[in-house]
Amino acid sequence: MTGGTQLTFHCPTCGESMAVNAPMREALLNHGCVVCGTPVPQSAFSAPEPNGDTEC
Amino acid sequence: MTVEQQTVMTGAETDALLGRHETGVLSLARGDEPYAVPISYGYDAGTRQFCMRLVSTPGSQKRRFLTDAPLVRFVVYEETEAAYCSVIADGRLERLPKSELTADHVKRYGTAKRPLFEMWGEPKAELTIDLYELDPEELSGRRIEVD
C-alpha cells in the first residue's frame, strides 16, 4: 500500500481491521467495506495505537 | 422452444450482460469431485476482470475447494422472451491478500453486490470472507434466439 499509513480502519459490521492511507480511507467511505460490502461510517477510522500494531 | 438461431455474442454484448447482472455460478473441482455455488460478483469491462467475495465457515465444503489459485469456470446467464444468453469465463481464481489492498481494489469491490450474510446462521464475525479476482483466460458469450 502506498501513500503512507495514517489511520486504522475497523469495520463495525464484519470486524475487519487494517491500516489505511488517505486514498484508502476515501475509497472505503465512498464504496463501502472492501471485505463485507456494507457502508462505512466516519467513525470506523481511528489513529493507530501507540505501539503501531495493526492487523492487515 | 423452437431454436431460431445461435450466435456468438460480441465482446461489447458480453460486457453488457455481465454489467447488468450481479450473480453467477462459480464451479470448482477437486480431482473428479465437482462443486458449484451461486455467488455475487463485480465486473470491470475495461480490464475484463471479475472480483468476488467468497464467504465460508470453518470446515465448510466451499473452503475445501478454495485453494489460493484454483482453476474455475464462472457462468452468468439470462433468459428473456426473445433469447437465452450465457457467458462463460474460464481461468484461475487468484486470492487477493488483504495486506495488498489498494484504493483501486476498494473501488472495484464497491461494484460487487454484498454477500447475503443472512444465508448463514453464524454471526458475521465468525464468517471468513476472502477476496478473489478472476482474469479469465477465456471469456465467451452465446445467444440463442427463441421463437
Side-chain angles (χ1 to χ4, degrees), chain B residues 42-93:
Chain B
Y43 179 69
D44 184 336
T47 61
R48 310 203 86 188
Q49 292 183 2
F50 297 84
C51 63
M52 303 164 179
R53 298 182 179 98
L54 299 182
V55 185
S56 62
T57 56
S60 68
Q61 196 175 23
K62 186 189 293 179
R63 191 171 294 183
R64 286 198 303 113
F65 284 86
L66 277 174
T67 58
D68 277 353
L71 280 171
V72 302
R73 169 164 285 188
F74 185 58
V75 178
V76 179
Y77 65 91
E78 70 179 12
E79 185 174 4
T80 65
E81 288 187 5
Y84 175 87
C85 301
S86 63
V87 172
I88 295 176
D90 288 322
R92 196 169 287 283
L93 197 61

Side-chain angles (χ1 to χ4, degrees), chain A residues 1 13-14 16 18 23-24 27-28 31-38 56, chain B residues 53 98-99 101-103 105-107 109-110 114-115 117 124-125 129 131:
Chain A
M1 186 174 66
T13 302
C14 69
E16 187 67 36
M18 66 182 79
M24 279 283 280
L28 288 162
H31 301 285
C33 176
V34 64
V35 175
C36 71
T38 54
C56 293
Chain B
R53 298 182 179 98
K98 290 169 186 168
S99 59
L101 287 170
T102 66
H105 288 122
V106 176
K107 185 177 179 182
Y109 278 87
R114 77 170 181 84
F117 297 110
K124 288 192 189 77
I129 308 169
L131 306 179

